[in-house]
Amino acid sequence: MKKTIVVILAITSFVFLSWKVSTPADSSIGATHTLEQFKNGMDNFVLSNEQLHSAVGNLNPDSATIAEARKALVECRLSYKRIAFLTSYFFPSETRFYNAAPKFEVEEPTLELVEPMGLQQIETLLFDDDVLAQKADLLVQSEAMLSSAGDMHALLFGIQITDAQVLESVRIELIRMSALYISGYDAPMLKSGIAETLEATNAIRDVLQPYFATHPEQSRSFEILLANSQNYLKAHPHFDSFDRMAYLRRFALPMQKEFRDFVAALGMVINTTKYLNYEAPYIYSKDALKGWENDSIAPPRQKALAEMGRILFFDKSLSGDASTSCATCHQPQNYFTDQLKKSPSLVRDSVLKRNTPTLLYAGWQHTQFWDGRVASLKDQIHNVIFNPLEMNGNEASLNRNVLLSDKYRTLIKASFLDKNLRECGIGEVSEALTVFLKQLSPMNSPFDRYIDGEQTALTDRQVNGFNLFMGKAQCGTCHFPPFFNSLLPPLFEISEVEVLGVTTTDDFENPQLDPDSGRFDLYKMKYYKGAFKTPTVRNAAQTGPYMHNGSFNSLAKVVDFYNKAGGRGLSLSVEEQTLSATPLNLSDHEAEDIILFLESLTDSNIEKLTFSN
């Protein structure tokens, strides 16, 4: 492990020293000031790493030394959060290991392994049952961090940055704060997320001072919100009791909206991201993200494709024996599920391998199926239609029995312009169904209405449930806003998979590990054994039974499973479990509040989504 880290650092240092560009322009408003703040932040980060390394070296059987090392790690994390938005924006590949996930990451498609390293891995080791046994690894990790931090100034060698880039880095950090930092995503055991959010806020305010000074009228609303946010974070530092909903509604989301308007007023809008829509007010807005399938289709064709997809969705002729449509298992009246543990297959007296998930919000994932084996809805549709266990369709029957029928003739001409009808097949069917499925994202639940300002849309207990979900219960560290699925903020470029140690039934007194290997069946990497995609919990109150195998019959059992810390918490052998093996210690009342919050994520008028526009 030590050799690996040294190699990574050597490569990184080479990249640092090889990069030479011109100096910043003198005409900038705040770019030069930002670089100075960055340099000061780097110095503080080096100092905090020195103190952390010293504290790790002092570890001994006295428990006070462990407490000191954890305190030093908190300070190191705080110093990192003062510069994190700049390092993440300007140097994402060179600095990502500072705060990488504390687990082996598999780089696809090469299947190269990235070892756990950095601040999160140090946290994991400092909270091990036997910290002293981890001292050697802790020293390796802290030495690597210290060495790399010392090289950080080389990042700035000749660099040129613009005001627009500075402002975009702040915009992205505001999303990070509201979606990740307050949930404790990268410090779940230290529970330093609120303090880290404050440090990030302080850093943003310092960096933006020149912009406020030169544009006082345009910046006034945002600057007031920023200052009030600082005061609120200072006054409410305790992680478990922090009112995340109040923070979001009063400060974080209004700041995103005001900052959008501020940057637009300055005429400095740039968007270097693939999926963020900077015209949306905030990250919980329905249009916060740009789609990644069929997103640039002209409106008339889009409408025709959606209508064609809607009709196809209910058409049993898609299946080989004309017995099964998409709606057979994905029933609109049941929130696009069938409420079965596992759906029947086309082979008599057999069932499919996994539970049928809802199609609501399915378009907002970068991988499809429980094991993430395909990268798009189009590929998923192709797979399902031709799968002999699911629909058993074929290309010839699609053209002869489906696409050449009178009910599709006009729609195909409008959807595929001058294409010969006899040339149409699974590609056209998949595209039309994809456009229809992308519409199944209503975001009109009581939660959404509350976020948008409808004060009576949620009860106090549902608000508390959200605060627990995004805090003490750690649900929000895997079910990310705004879709509460595996789509990772702030850039939403990847969908994560997790190993939970799911059991065969919800009898936790006599637990047995489910034998389904999940993503391991695709890639024979032990870190994928039992790995599955994290589904949305929007509409979860209506889409049971739960988990990839349909083994949990109620939300109460789901919450209880997580409260008990998954398979490992139930004393099962789940070597690569990514879910923390530390019980959550939720009270019965707290568990009930989380369920009440999940019920508030239930959308209304679902069946109307299948009507023609």
Side-chain angles (χ1 to χ4, degrees):
M1 180 176 178
K2 183 174 182 178
K3 182 178 180 181
T4 303
I5 294 175
V6 170
V7 170
I8 291 174
L9 291 174
I11 294 172
T12 305
S13 295
F14 175 78
V15 172
F16 290 172
L17 295 173
S18 298
W19 190 2
K20 182 177 181 180
V21 292
S22 58
T23 56
D26 294 334
S27 59
S28 68
I29 298 171
T32 302
H33 171 76
T34 297
L35 288 175
E36 289 304 313
Q37 293 295 110
F38 200 5
K39 291 174 184 177
N40 293 336
M42 287 177 175
D43 291 338
N44 289 329
F45 187 49
V46 171
L47 179 60
S48 66
N49 269 282
E50 291 173 348
Q51 294 168 344
L52 174 60
H53 184 63
S54 176
V56 168
N58 290 334
L59 286 171
N60 63 56
D62 184 350
S63 61
T65 62
I66 297 176
E68 284 300 314
R70 291 174 179 173
K71 181 180 178 182
L73 177 58
V74 169
E75 292 302 318
C76 195
R77 290 194 57 82
L78 294 176
S79 67
Y80 179 68
K81 287 300 170 77
R82 295 178 194 123
I83 58 174
F85 70 105
L86 296 170
T87 61
S88 298
Y89 184 85
F90 290 104
F91 316 107
S93 60
E94 292 87 351
T95 62
R96 64 178 180 172
F97 66 88
Y98 289 146
N99 200 30
K103 60 182 180 180
F104 280 88
E105 298 280 2
V106 181
E107 297 285 347
E108 296 181 15
T110 61
L111 300 187
E112 294 181 18
L113 280 178
V114 178
E115 295 187 44
M117 61 183 73
L119 296 172
Q120 291 189 58
Q121 177 63 1
I122 292 173
E123 178 192 41
T124 298
L125 296 173
L126 279 177
F127 281 84
D128 189 83
D129 291 337
D130 187 354
V131 175
L132 290 182
Q134 306 299 329
K135 184 173 180 178
D137 282 345
L138 279 163
L139 283 170
V140 168
Q141 291 286 341
S142 61
E143 286 171 4
M145 285 291 297
L146 181 57
S147 175
S148 180
D151 287 338
M152 285 186 74
H153 275 284
L155 285 167
L156 304 182
F157 179 65
I159 187 174
Q160 179 180 3
I161 66 175
T162 67
D163 290 318
Q165 288 175 314
V166 172
L167 295 173
E168 187 180 29
S169 72
V170 170
R171 189 195 296 263
I172 294 170
E173 182 75 347
L174 291 173
I175 297 172
R176 235 184 244 108
M177 289 158 54
S178 65
L180 295 180
Y181 291 178
I182 62 172
S183 74
Y185 169 73
D186 49 358
M189 290 168 281
L190 288 170
K191 295 194 173 185
S192 53
I194 308 308
E196 293 181 24
T197 305
L198 175 59
E199 286 302 330
T201 307
N202 294 341
I204 286 173
R205 194 175 185 191
D206 289 343
V207 161
L208 292 179
Q209 286 306 310
Y211 304 95
F212 296 160
T214 54
H215 299 82
E217 291 301 318
Q218 295 92 332
S219 67
R220 190 179 311 281
S221 296
F222 176 73
E223 190 174 6
I224 291 172
L225 278 169
L226 196 60
N228 290 340
S229 171
Q230 286 176 300
N231 293 334
Y232 187 83
L233 291 164
K234 289 175 185 176
H236 303 87
H238 190 261
F239 183 84
D240 284 349
S241 64
F242 185 72
D243 191 338
R244 289 159 177 81
M245 183 64 84
Y247 171 73
L248 287 175
R249 292 186 73 203
R250 293 173 58 187
F251 307 111
L253 301 186
M255 280 196 297
Q256 290 176 23
K257 180 179 182 297
E258 291 295 337
F259 192 71
R260 175 201 66 175
D261 296 344
F262 174 53
V263 177
L266 268 57
M268 294 184 181
V269 178
I270 60 168
N271 190 343
T272 63
T273 73
K274 291 182 180 179
Y275 306 120
L276 292 175
N277 174 22
Y278 288 166
E279 294 182 4
Y282 43 75
I283 200 58
Y284 282 96
S285 301
K286 190 173 181 178
D287 60 345
L289 300 185
K290 298 179 288 187
W292 42 87
E293 291 189 66
N294 308 105
D295 198 45
S296 59
I297 299 173
R301 182 169 178 251
Q302 179 101 7
K303 185 176 181 179
L305 277 166
E307 176 61 9
M308 179 177 168
R310 183 188 71 83
I311 297 173
L312 285 165
F313 189 79
F314 294 95
D315 194 340
K316 292 184 178 181
S317 298
L318 286 176
S319 62
D321 61 1
S323 68
T324 305
S325 71
C326 304
T328 300
C329 294
H330 298 285
Q331 301 159 6
Q333 69 273 23
N334 290 319
Y335 286 74
F336 293 90
T337 68
D338 57 10
Q339 298 186 329
L340 299 174
K341 180 176 180 178
K342 294 177 181 177
S343 303
S345 82
L346 290 187
V347 176
R348 188 173 180 178
D349 299 326
S350 70
V351 296
L352 298 177
K353 184 176 182 179
R354 295 171 183 143
N355 174 260
T356 298
T358 180
L359 292 179
L360 294 166
Y361 304 97
W364 298 107
Q365 294 273 29
H366 288 297
T367 59
Q368 301 297 335
F369 292 111
W370 278 103
D371 55 13
R373 64 182 178 271
V374 300
S376 69
L377 283 170
K378 285 184 182 179
D379 289 343
Q380 180 188 40
I381 292 162
H382 184 289
N383 187 298
V384 169
I385 290 176
F386 288 169
N387 188 320
L389 298 179
E390 297 191 57
M391 296 185 77
N392 198 30
N394 60 77
E395 192 78 56
S397 67
L398 274 183
N399 188 277
R400 182 178 63 252
N401 300 331
V402 182
L403 297 175
L404 290 181
S405 66
D406 290 340
K407 63 182 175 182
Y408 292 113
R409 191 175 301 274
T410 300
L411 287 169
I412 289 176
K413 287 183 178 179
S415 300
F416 299 103
L417 305 178
D418 298 326
K419 194 161 192 176
N420 188 314
L421 291 180
R422 295 187 179 277
E423 295 176 352
C424 294
I426 187 61
E428 288 70 31
V429 167
S430 296
E431 184 173 0
L433 280 167
T434 294
V435 172
F436 169 68
L437 294 181
K438 284 286 288 183
Q439 296 182 155
L440 304 183
S441 306
M443 294 185 75
N444 62 10
S445 69
F447 169 81
D448 296 299
R449 299 200 305 272
Y450 189 85
I451 284 287
D452 286 340
E454 187 178 325
Q455 189 66 35
T456 59
L458 296 186
T459 67
D460 290 344
R461 292 194 67 181
Q462 286 173 323
V463 170
N464 188 52
F466 170 79
N467 288 330
L468 289 163
F469 184 96
M470 290 295 291
K472 179 181 177 181
Q474 300 180 12
C475 313
T477 63
C478 291
H479 294 276
F480 305 113
F483 302 113
F484 300 107
N485 62 6
S486 67
L487 199 58
L488 180 64
L491 300 180
F492 303 96
E493 293 178 324
I494 63 171
S495 292
E496 292 192 337
V497 297
E498 304 290 345
V499 179
L500 306 177
V502 173
T503 50
T504 56
T505 72
D506 56 14
D507 178 6
F508 302 145
E509 296 298 319
N510 304 285
Q512 294 184 351
L513 187 65
D514 186 85
D516 192 335
S517 295
R519 197 162 178 78
F520 179 81
D521 290 341
L522 305 175
Y523 303 103
K524 302 299 182 183
M525 308 286 290
K526 69 175 185 175
Y527 307 103
Y528 277 157
K529 193 166 186 179
F532 296 92
K533 186 177 68 175
T534 303
T536 181
V537 292
R538 284 181 174 270
N539 300 296
Q542 305 295 327
T543 55
Y546 306 99
M547 316 309 275
H548 70 272
N549 56 1
S551 62
F552 297 175
N553 291 311
S554 68
L555 286 175
K557 284 294 186 179
V558 174
V559 174
D560 191 30
F561 175 76
Y562 285 104
N563 198 21
K564 288 179 165 61
R568 287 182 62 189
L570 295 169
S571 300
L572 298 175
S573 178
V574 192
E575 184 180 353
E576 303 304 330
Q577 180 171 307
T578 55
L579 177 69
S580 171
T582 303
L584 297 172
N585 296 316
L586 297 171
S587 68
D588 290 345
H589 192 273
E590 288 174 327
E592 290 170 3
D593 283 359
I594 292 172
I595 294 170
L596 290 171
F597 160 65
L598 293 173
E599 291 174 354
S600 81
L601 290 173
T602 302
D603 289 308
S604 60
N605 301 318
I606 290 301
E607 289 188 70
K608 289 185 178 180
L609 295 173
T610 61
F611 296 166
S612 178
N613 292 331

